[in-house]
Amino acid sequence: TAQNRALNWIVFEDGMELGPGKDHLHQRFVLMVIYFISGPWTPVEGRLEWGSPVHECEWEGITCKDVEELEAELEGKISELLESGREDGVKIDVPQRIINRLELRQRLVSGEVPGEFSLLYYLQHLDLENNQLVGALPSPLYKLFNLQTLFLEQNQLTNIDAVGEYRYLEHLSVSKNAFQGPLPESFKQLKYLKTLYLHTNAFTGQVFDILKDFKKLELLDLAFNKFEGTLPAELGEMSNLTSVFLGHNEFRGTIPAEIGRCPNLKEFQIDASHKIGGPIPTEFGKLANLEFLKLDTC
């Protein structure tokens, strides 16, 4: 198994020759499990490969923070976890240099998302775009409670029903996957979202029943799905919006005049939406920052 291969590598092959008392031993082990599940990867010139005999924070695609810096950001959560463990009961040591960002675009060649990611407790940013991942996110992955950014675009994923577990998530991209049906109800819990990319899937239903209260949204991309219903007046309460892409769906009715209350709006696109009609709201004229407006085939 990948776990056995990683253990053997730690014991017999790792050039750092870490002893059992090293605080980052588990972190290094988890990374090598992920590598043996997904690799080997094509080396990138000028970057350190995974498995190099240096601290894992120096490997390609990995960013770390000192524990004191991360402790301040997480407002004491590290000390709390040291005392009680995670909500699922898992308890591990906290390294001095903690991985908080993983960027693995075009790295996890195929298959299901490795559940070992969840053992990187304090991960804040996870980028798995443009791979060949399939199926559902494994339940352990939803234990990354501190995740702020999750990029899963351009895979073949079909299920993120428990995405609401990422209670502090600010940036989410699941575009160009194989999702079908209504948006999961757990999306309602993502009140901190600033950017949301859902384009190019087969989502259906009345998406704004879930999203209409997302006051922090800055970018919303729902294009190329099968969403239905009307555009709500609550869009005007998303005052931070800068970009809105709604085209190629089944929305009906009119464009709400309340969109004129979004002073930062730069882009608004709802092309190829044959059921959208009525006059163009004069309130668009109040949007001093508007740079791109596309309403063709409405």
Side-chain angles (χ1 to χ4, degrees), residues 96-113:
Q96 179 62 36
R97 297 174 69 188
I98 298 178
I99 296 174
N100 77 302
R101 180 188 293 267
L102 271 182
E103 298 179 10
L104 298 176
R105 296 188 181 196
Q106 294 181 294
R107 289 299 185 189
L108 300 177
V109 178
S110 62
E112 296 184 355
V113 180

Side-chain angles (χ1 to χ4, degrees), residues 230-231 252-257 275-279:
T230 59
L231 305 183
R252 65 180 187 277
T254 60
I255 300 172
K275 299 178 183 179
I276 292 289

Side-chain angles (χ1 to χ4, degrees), residues 225-291:
N225 280 284
K226 300 177 182 179
F227 289 125
E228 303 170 345
T230 59
L231 305 183
E234 285 85 354
L235 277 173
E237 298 175 17
M238 300 178 184
S239 58
N240 295 318
L241 279 174
T242 61
S243 303
V244 180
F245 305 102
L246 306 174
H248 296 268
N249 279 285
E250 299 296 326
F251 293 121
R252 65 180 187 277
T254 60
I255 300 172
E258 287 80 2
I259 199 72
R261 298 178 189 169
C262 299
N264 301 313
L265 195 64
K266 294 181 178 181
E267 302 172 283
F268 186 88
Q269 182 172 332
I270 189 167
D271 57 316
S273 299
H274 305 280
K275 299 178 183 179
I276 292 289
I280 297 174
T282 58
E283 284 75 8
F284 272 118
K286 301 176 183 178
L287 299 173
N289 293 307
L290 192 64
E291 298 174 355

Side-chain angles (χ1 to χ4, degrees), residues 134-153:
V134 300
L137 289 186
S139 56
L141 207 62
Y142 292 116
K143 301 303 180 183
L144 295 173
F145 298 120
N146 297 306
L147 211 59
Q148 297 173 1
T149 301
L150 180 60
F151 294 148
L152 300 171
E153 183 171 334

Side-chain angles (χ1 to χ4, degrees), residues 57-114:
C57 290
E58 308 301 324
W59 294 350
E60 179 198 355
I62 295 174
T63 304
C64 297
K65 287 185 177 180
D66 287 336
V67 65
E68 292 82 8
E69 181 182 0
L70 201 57
E71 172 78 351
E73 284 187 25
L74 299 179
E75 300 177 345
K77 291 178 187 174
I78 291 179
S79 297
E80 178 182 333
L81 284 168
L82 274 173
E83 294 175 6
S84 59
R86 286 193 323 195
E87 292 181 14
D88 58 5
V90 175
K91 204 172 179 183
I92 56 177
D93 293 333
V94 176
Q96 179 62 36
R97 297 174 69 188
I98 298 178
I99 296 174
N100 77 302
R101 180 188 293 267
L102 271 182
E103 298 179 10
L104 298 176
R105 296 188 181 196
Q106 294 181 294
R107 289 299 185 189
L108 300 177
V109 178
S110 62
E112 296 184 355
V113 180

